Amino acid sequence: QVHLVESGGGLVQAGGSLRLSCTASGLIFDDYAMGWFRQAPGKEREGISCISWSGSNTSYIDSVKGRFTITRDNGKNTLYLHMNSLELEDTAMYYCAAALYHGLCPVPVRFGYWGQGTQVTVSS
């Protein structure tokens, strides 16, 4: 059974930093492209970043470019999201997801596995 477990969320002041982690089990991690998504209250879920199976290719939405960095450690079955210069608008539940895909980001197939999410709250 596949499990994705996020951690690292919390309350941080604007301008601060957090590192989210997503640990995967029950799958061959480097068979999967990985993504980070977020959903703010009253808003639709949005994909914010993607990383290819090898980690050599990444993509970001414009609002997080230059502030967030997605990485992965295939030896540890773990995905990361390094978030710097956090803004109030980054407040959301953050989810990691896995897609069985060996190409480049963005991922053209459905993300089949999802974590339960970790809350990030940015205060002024």
Side-chain angles (χ1 to χ4, degrees):
Q1 191 171 0
V2 175
H3 291 284
L4 302 178
V5 180
E6 301 96 336
S7 61
L11 175 64
V12 62
Q13 284 192 322
S17 299
L18 282 175
R19 187 186 76 167
L20 305 184
S21 299
C22 168
T23 301
S25 61
L27 53 70
I28 300 174
F29 190 61
D30 56 7
D31 276 349
Y32 288 78
M34 299 295 295
W36 284 102
F37 296 75
R38 67 185 180 187
Q39 187 167 19
K43 294 187 176 181
E44 292 189 357
R45 186 177 64 196
E46 64 175 346
I48 58 173
S49 185
C50 165
I51 188 166
S52 62
W53 66 275
S54 67
S56 63
N57 171 252
T58 59
S59 68
Y60 302 89
I61 59 171
D62 286 346
S63 61
V64 307
K65 277 182 184 176
R67 300 188 300 121
F68 291 9
T69 303
I70 188 170
T71 62
R72 65 190 294 163
D73 184 335
N74 286 352
K76 295 182 178 179
N77 283 12
T78 303
L79 173 74
Y80 302 99
L81 186 66
H82 309 261
M83 305 188 294
N84 297 317
S85 303
L86 282 160
E87 303 171 352
L88 298 179
E89 293 75 20
D90 295 319
T91 294
M93 184 70 80
Y94 283 70
Y95 302 89
C96 65
L100 186 61
Y101 176 67
H102 252 232
L104 303 179
C105 292
V107 173
V109 300
R110 187 177 66 93
F111 282 85
Y113 299 108
W114 292 82
Q116 292 299 305
T118 186
Q119 177 68 38
V120 172
T121 303
V122 183
S123 65
S124 59

